[in-house]
């Protein structure tokens, strides 16, 4: 077993522990959340010229889920709702800079037959298993990990031209953002994980506990 493989499993394990800890948060955390302003707030993190976007954030209320309106490509306003809005509003400035501004058009956002909701950005995607505002959404930035996830695969995870990819493929929906541990980047999925050693370029793809080819050249 390679060092990168052990580090990938360790990073994924650390993420699971972090999720458990977050799920067991104290009452203080809940109080802090409820103390957030319920009126409209604005956020405008610094970006490169082509990534600047005006944001209008409406907090969740009895009237419906939170919404975030962002200026996308060609200055078209894009409104995120439900878990996608919640995730974008909570994203760090670094994450927002990394994914860029949202793409427009029906093919770049919507709800899949499985119920998965998504919004494509210039350099990534925000995706959640369903439209419930309480469902966690995750950011997957463009790069080899996303390319491997989007590779068509057979049900056992082996690359297959006539197979399925992305959330409809054997890996399923992401269950983490990109986790960075030194040179290692990892994203966990419902049924596996993908890691990349950014120093050596080594890719590891696991589906249901089995290592399969990345499918990348």
């Amino acid at each position: 077993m390679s060092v990168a493989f052990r580090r990938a499993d360790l990073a994924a394990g650390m993420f699971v522990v972090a999720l458990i800890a977050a799920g067991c948060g104290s009452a203080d955390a809940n109080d802090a959340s409820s103390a957030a302003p319920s009126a409209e707030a604005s956020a405008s993190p610094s970006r490169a010229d082509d990534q600047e976007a005006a944001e209008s954030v409406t907090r969740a209320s009895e009237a419906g889920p939170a919404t975030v309106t962002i200026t996308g490509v060609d200055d078209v306003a894009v409104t995120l709702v439900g878990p996608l809005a919640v995730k974008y509003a909570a994203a760090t400035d670094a994450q927002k800079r990394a994914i860029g501004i949202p793409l427009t058009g029906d093919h770049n956002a919507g709800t899949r037959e499985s119920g998965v909701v998504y919004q494509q950005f210039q350099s990534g995607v925000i995706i959640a298993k369903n439209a419930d505002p309480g469902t966690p959404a995750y950011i997957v930035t463009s790069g080899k990990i996303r390319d491997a996830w989007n590779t068509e695969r057979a049900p056992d995870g082996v690359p297959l031209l006539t197979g399925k990819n992305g959330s409809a493929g054997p890996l399923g929906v992401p269950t983490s953002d990109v986790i960075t541990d030194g040179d290692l980047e990892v994203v966990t999925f419902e049924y596996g994980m993908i890691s990349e050693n950014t120093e050596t370029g080594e890719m590891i793809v696991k589906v249901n506990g089995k290592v399969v080819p990345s499918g990348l050249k």
Side-chain angles (χ1 to χ4, degrees):
M1 181 180 295
S2 69
V3 173
F5 187 93
R6 291 196 298 271
R7 290 173 64 194
D9 280 347
L10 175 60
M14 291 171 63
F15 176 75
V16 171
V17 172
L19 278 182
I20 294 173
C24 299
S26 66
D28 290 342
N30 292 333
D31 291 342
S33 176
S34 63
S38 59
E40 289 192 355
S42 62
S44 54
S46 59
R47 293 175 174 79
D49 291 343
D50 64 345
Q51 293 181 332
E52 291 184 356
E55 302 168 22
S56 174
V57 180
T58 303
R59 302 299 180 187
S61 67
E62 293 181 359
T67 64
V68 177
T69 300
I70 317 163
T71 301
V73 296
D74 298 325
D75 293 328
V76 175
V78 174
T79 298
L80 307 179
V81 299
L84 306 185
V86 172
K87 180 61 179 179
Y88 189 86
T92 65
D93 287 353
Q95 286 178 313
K96 291 177 181 178
R97 286 194 297 269
I99 60 175
I101 60 177
L103 301 179
T104 58
D106 293 342
H107 61 291
N108 284 316
T111 304
R112 302 199 185 283
E113 291 182 3
S114 62
V116 169
V117 293
Y118 67 98
Q119 171 65 55
Q120 304 279 3
F121 286 71
Q122 287 176 315
S123 301
V125 64
I126 300 180
I127 187 168
K129 190 169 179 63
N130 57 58
D132 188 324
T135 298
Y138 299 99
I139 294 174
V140 180
T141 50
S142 297
K144 288 185 176 180
I145 289 179
R146 190 181 180 197
D147 291 344
W149 176 42
N150 282 328
T151 295
E152 287 79 5
R153 300 178 183 277
D156 63 359
V158 174
L160 180 67
L161 192 59
T162 57
K164 296 182 179 181
N165 66 352
S167 62
L171 284 160
V173 179
T175 55
S176 80
D177 296 331
V178 177
I179 304 166
T180 302
D181 178 17
D183 297 331
L184 195 67
E185 293 186 346
V186 180
V187 174
T188 61
F189 296 85
E190 290 179 292
Y191 308 110
M193 55 78 68
I194 302 175
S195 70
E196 176 191 3
N197 186 311
T198 56
E199 178 68 22
T200 66
E202 180 184 12
M203 298 290 299
I204 296 175
V205 179
K206 290 177 66 176
V207 176
N208 292 320
K210 176 185 175 183
V211 177
V212 297
S214 70
L216 304 182
K217 296 181 179 180

